[in-house]
Amino acid sequence: MSIGPGRVSTSMRGCVALMAGFMLGLQADAFCADFVVQVGAFANRGNAERLMTRLGEVGVFNTRLWDVGRPARTLTTVLSGPFSDREQAREAQLELARFGYSGFIRGCSVALPAQHYAAKTEPESSTTPSIAQPAPTPQFVSAAETVRAEGARSEWTGNVNLEYRTFFHSPGDPRQHGDNVSLSAQPELYYAWNNGRDSLTFVPFFRWDQHDDERTHLDIRELMWLTARNGWELRIGVGKVFWGVTESQHLVDIINQTDLVENIDTEEKLGQPMLNLALIRDWGTLDTFVLPYFRERTFPGPEGRLRMMPGVDPGGAIYVSSREQEHIDFAIRWSHSPGDWDLGLSHFTGTSRDPRFTPGTREDGEVVMFPIYDQIDQTGLDVQATKGSWLWKLEAIRRSGQGPSFVASTTGFEYTYFGIFETPMDVGLVMEYLYDDRPKDITAPFADDIFAGVRLTLNDVQSTEALLGCIFDMDSSARLCNVEASRRLSDHWMVEFEVRTFQELTERDPLFSLRRDDYAQLGLSYHF
Amino acid sequence: MKKLWLLLPLLGLFPLACPAQTAEEKGLEIAVEADKRDLGWSDSTADMKMILRNRQGEQSERAIRVRTLEVQGDGDKSLTIFDHPADVKGTAFLSYTHAVKADDQWLYLPALKRVKRISSANKSGPFMGSEFAYEDISSQEIEKYHYKYLRDETLDGQETFVIQRTPQYKHSGYTKQMAWIDKQHYRVLKVAYFDRKGAHLKTLTIKDYKQYLDKYWRADRMHMANHQNGKSTTLLWSKHRFKSGFSDRDFDRNSLKRAR
């Protein structure tokens, strides 16, 4: 006996009220006006739950359990759906079949009397994994009981990257090399349940470097449990947080330590252990952070390029706090987006992510730089106003505890000319002023500088993009320039190109040791 | 009863003060009716597969998931999650559309964990390298256009109104659009787009409409052909669902960061 959509629809109305408050916050009529694929029916609810879990493992998440029968003799059905029409239900049925699960399509027949239901089920019962004796009279379980049927889903993604770097000049230290090959991998495992409101994310990172032993490293970028509810979100674990709006430098961003061996642009970060509670209200989001463990900055080893000279010995780190890496840091941030403004106000108290340096002699007699991690207080403000094609940006910080208190800021704009010359291409102009009232040194290299850049977005099928920019020192003729470009080769492959040059650096410049480290880099990455 | 007497002269005058309906009034009336018939769906989710074809017939694919919150009296809010190609996986896009003023748009970049407010002045720009511009796929509010009824026409056996829409918002890539709307259900079946020079640029054909919740029509197939560059894009929609119980909270910057 087949189930015709016409026959089932007459019974749909009946279950509307009964299903009110249905799990997933799904409104009842949305479910009942639809079709479902019944994958199984069990006398033992545990078996039904196990089937649902197995379905989740193969990527079928839209499943739910539905009980029929008297409390003593409940029959639990595993339903996939709802689907708006029979055709979609059939597609889902075929997909289930591909995973080895046979199911059959029905309307919202949970409202049918059990005899009716059984009569409809029986002829196709051979397709279900297990069929129990149907109960003689229908009775619906409460909505609360079905809540545990909410679907879970997991995802396995990531990327592998191969890069080749060639330097334009011979190295300043004979231990360094003229070119370099490196390979990195960053897989990502994501598991969500409770309809995505709870999730677990695991992102390990590994890099192998041909010459630099410090750059060959392993890190846990993320190992985070997140639970989100209507007015709050809680994150516990290791993760990454970004704050800020500007492009040339990120002053306000302070939660994570920089993984400097990755890229001198300081945008790569190490995973930070944290407990983060976000309160989400009409007046904005208030994030509070407890940061129980400090991560030391990574520095290139003796054979690595793009480093200070003498090189930094990360093993000899000096801490102002006697608790060293175990000092517990705190941060709080309010952020809000009224109209076309984005605002953020933050405060951090704890171990400075930016070290100062002191020269010293290591046991083996080599002169090295030791990083000093101070205890600081930093207040940060970030503002963006989005006015048509103009983005106006400001980031400012005030930091105390690292020498005399100081103020630093980045102020600027980005203007985008969309569809230039009647082509789909966008051209963006970025200009920012970098200010720091500390005397210029390696911890504050951009005290009075201007960044000017051009961003090209081709808006083509390959998503070709390029950013060309230079930071000009206003007090000398020194300039740092870079080009970053990327283009998709296929569904999984991307090619990336990068050039950085350090020009006209005088002996007084804090970045003087980089003067011979101009390089070009070609990267090939595979995304899965 | 006295009050009704006061109304009588007004009723008598009305036909005199309101001569035959103009083409503009009829055009607006059709747009208002179409809008009215699609009110009350609260929220929706759907999956979309995009097939891009160039002049040589080479294809590439995109996959996204979209969830939308109906906003009464303003444009809708939407959250778009990118699934394919693999390099954009995890990127998410949040948009608050507005009838007349500029939309609010944020982009989440998963590699940097950065939420970036972006300019919405790119209305005429291509969406994910396709032949659909942002303005073609964003929420269609009545106030966005001036309307004019052109004629009746039979399109593939269906009786339609043909109306002209003139964009009233800034940064549109079009001088005008012609839309074919079926008389029975007020669904858009076809749109012709005319570029800034007034030349016919693209034609959108919308097929396989299905009705949901006994009221709302959604198409499974949209085909955009660009007549000037020979490229085309097909959107295949599936898994339309309505009234999942979403709220503003599911369309804020926090949910953008969590979107997977």
Side-chain angles (χ1 to χ4, degrees), chain A residues 29, chain B residues 31-44 69-76 139-143 185-186 211-218 242-243:
Chain A
D29 50 348
Chain B
V32 168
E33 178 62 24
D35 187 66
K36 215 170 82 188
R37 288 183 183 218
D38 198 48
L39 284 179
W41 44 269
S42 310
D43 61 64
S44 72
L69 183 72
E70 187 182 30
V71 179
Q72 302 285 357
D74 199 355
D76 300 334
S139 130
Q140 301 287 317
E141 303 304 313
I142 290 176
E143 297 82 356
H185 299 296
Y186 285 78
Q211 198 175 23
Y212 298 86
L213 307 184
D214 291 331
K215 186 171 180 192
Y216 310 108
W217 291 93
R218 292 291 179 273
F242 298 88
K243 298 189 176 179

Side-chain angles (χ1 to χ4, degrees), chain B residues 90-110:
Chain B
T91 306
F93 175 65
L94 176 67
S95 170
Y96 296 175
T97 55
H98 300 295
V100 193
K101 66 175 183 136
D103 296 348
D104 299 315
Q105 298 179 341
W106 293 265
L107 195 63
Y108 175 64
L109 306 167

